[in-house]
Amino acid sequence: MIKTASPYPLMKVPFVDLHAQYLNLKKEIDAAIAEVIATSSFIRGPHVEAFENAWALTLGMKHCVSCANGTDALYIAMRGLGIKPGDEVITTAHSWISTSETITQAGGKVVFCDTDYGTFNIDPLLIEAKITPRTVGIIPVHLYGQAADMGAIMAIARKHNLWVIEDCAQAHLARFKGQLVGTFGNAATFSFYPGKNLGAYGDAGCLMTNDSTLAIWCATFARHGGKGEHVMEGINSRMDGLQAAILNAKLPHLAGWTEARRRIAARYDSLLDGIGDVVTPKAQPDRYHVYHLYVIRTGRRDALKRHLAEAGIPTVFNYPKALPFYPAYAYLGQTAEDIAVAYANQSQILSIPIYPEMTDEMSDYVASQIKTFFL
Ligand SMILES: Cc1ncc(COP(=O)(O)O)c(C=O)c1O
């Protein structure tokens, strides 16, 4: 049963609406797809090259090496940085598994670090205690679209001579102290999975770096160790022309979509202020949060999720467990005390709908249903 205190009629609010986005850009997208088909530029080719150049320019980085997805980008970057068996890499305990699974796949050992309560990101105050003589790098994730504390992380990396790969999969155009994420570390990786802030119509990803030697190694490795002359054994991880053409059509809209996300987030912030025990995801004053996800916390998370589902509002747990508590990482033997903040968050977090095409009526309806639940 839906409680009825809402002044709005029941409506359906999707979690994201990629179709609405397509309809707004139909002409550009259809033309881009037709052009790829007409020119048979299916794998790499001019559209991929144009996207690599445009994205590098957007970030002010020298190199964008496109690849098949954001997970591959992490793997390729680590291989390029010369990770060796047994090398330890510190990463955040609460995120999507790509970051940690690729550390293992590249031959390294995953070292999880707990998160900071305010931002959900890796807690820089806990990183140094994790460093051992085997530590080679740190991979912060700019989770949900808010930058990790790159000032503190880069200072630790410099002090201990560690590399940094920024996982920017959820943080296109996010900033820390005015500087774009992806421009701090030795390399940065992006995902263009369809639901990301800049999303393709299938899998796509890239890595960014200012290190020309690293860029050339990664591009060669990702394309079978070199076309014509195989200078090494590589992998097959290429962006395809259709994805690149779609990304080229969407890129000019990214800044506007980001502002739309921020406006919706600000609306939620004020509408949900003081409601029950809800904690809203306030952006830190020195960060430009791009709200890939809008994640609230409440002790009544599961019941709220059920209430919202009945009201036509799907919600998601991003992520239902902190990584150390999945069977995949049982071998690390980590306890709730080791990863206390992420452990507490995992049963309280709830991602509510946010996407640029969302109307004020929709965000007001979501907020009103949350209010109703807590009446
Ligand atoms: C934080 C994070 N890292 C990496 C990835 C991997 O990206 P992809 O799905 O393109 O492999 C994702 C995608 O969900 C992500 O959210």
Side-chain angles (χ1 to χ4, degrees):
M1 280 291 291
I2 299 160
K3 297 182 198 170
T4 51
S6 166
Y8 299 98
L10 181 67
M11 61 165 84
K12 281 205 181 312
V13 181
F15 190 70
V16 289
D17 193 345
L18 298 181
H19 190 66
Q21 190 191 61
Y22 167 66
L23 292 179
N24 287 338
L25 293 186
K26 191 173 180 322
K27 252 177 132 170
E28 291 114 293
I29 299 270
D30 289 355
I33 292 171
E35 156 80 10
V36 173
I37 294 170
T39 56
S40 299
S41 39
F42 296 118
I43 299 287
R44 293 198 51 75
H47 303 285
V48 175
E49 206 172 302
F51 178 70
E52 288 178 335
N53 291 336
W55 191 234
L57 198 67
T58 303
L59 263 76
M61 295 290 283
K62 275 197 199 156
H63 305 283
C64 169
V65 177
S66 64
C67 60
N69 55 69
T71 309
D72 280 4
L74 286 158
Y75 175 74
I76 295 163
M78 271 183 268
R79 293 293 307 272
L81 287 163
I83 192 168
K84 293 186 303 302
D87 283 352
E88 293 175 8
V89 179
I90 299 170
T91 193
T92 181
H94 205 174
S95 182
W96 180 241
I97 194 170
S98 295
T99 323
S100 51
E101 69 186 353
T102 49
I103 294 171
T104 310
Q105 286 153 8
K109 183 172 178 293
V110 182
V111 177
F112 286 119
C113 182
D114 201 3
T115 51
D116 153 57
Y117 183 80
T119 62
F120 298 99
N121 280 320
I122 191 166
D123 185 343
L125 297 176
L126 304 177
I127 293 177
E128 277 197 290
K130 304 273 176 190
I131 295 174
T132 75
R134 306 292 318 254
T135 308
V136 294
I138 308 171
I139 310 186
V141 178
H142 305 301
L143 199 71
Y144 308 151
Q146 174 150 232
D149 184 344
M150 291 313 295
I153 292 167
M154 292 312 296
I156 294 167
R158 274 192 293 274
K159 181 172 161 198
H160 296 274
N161 196 25
L162 308 175
W163 51 249
V164 172
I165 301 173
E166 294 173 71
D167 183 339
C168 307
Q170 303 188 4
H172 311 71
L173 302 190
R175 290 174 184 265
F176 175 80
K177 296 198 170 154
Q179 186 177 338
L180 283 166
V181 302
T183 63
F184 290 86
N186 302 66
T189 61
F190 284 88
S191 166
F192 305 110
Y193 176 82
K196 297 295 195 233
N197 289 21
L198 179 62
Y201 282 5
D203 278 316
C206 76
L207 67 92
M208 317 290 297
T209 182
N210 282 328
D211 177 339
S212 301
T213 310
L214 178 64
I216 291 167
W217 192 95
C218 291
T220 308
F221 178 71
R223 291 156 211 162
H224 294 294
K227 206 173 169 186
E229 185 76 342
H230 302 296
V231 294
M232 61 172 132
E233 287 182 333
I235 60 170
N236 175 15
S237 185
R238 300 178 295 217
M239 186 183 282
D240 68 64
L242 282 171
Q243 305 315 332
I246 289 160
L247 290 170
N248 284 328
K250 285 188 171 193
L251 182 53
H253 303 277
L254 178 61
W257 289 335
T258 305
E259 276 305 306
R261 287 177 182 275
R262 286 171 54 81
R263 202 183 52 75
I264 295 158
R267 203 171 175 91
Y268 274 150
D269 285 348
S270 71
L271 291 169
L272 297 176
D273 190 31
I275 304 301
D277 67 344
V278 169
V279 179
T280 54
K282 294 279 179 330
Q284 302 300 302
D286 58 0
R287 327 252 162 126
Y288 180 80
H289 194 324
V290 298
Y291 293 98
H292 173 57
L293 294 169
Y294 189 94
V295 181
I296 61 171
R297 280 177 274 214
T298 162
R300 298 177 62 198
R301 190 269 307 264
D302 293 349
L304 176 59
K305 183 178 178 51
R306 280 193 297 277
H307 169 82
L308 292 176
E310 284 167 12
I313 303 164
T315 55
V316 178
F317 302 153
N318 299 99
Y319 295 90
K321 286 186 195 178
L323 290 162
F325 307 123
Y326 283 106
Y329 296 108
Y331 71 92
L332 292 173
Q334 289 196 289
T335 64
E337 291 76 45
D338 297 335
I339 308 287
V341 173
Y343 182 77
N345 280 340
Q346 71 185 18
S347 56
Q348 295 186 8
I349 47 175
L350 189 67
S351 307
I352 62 176
I354 189 164
Y355 52 92
E357 297 76 18
M358 204 172 172
T359 61
D360 288 350
E361 198 191 15
M362 286 166 149
S363 53
D364 291 2
Y365 175 66
V366 173
S368 77
Q369 282 300 330
I370 295 173
K371 266 187 217 164
T372 304
F373 172 78
F374 284 102
L375 281 179

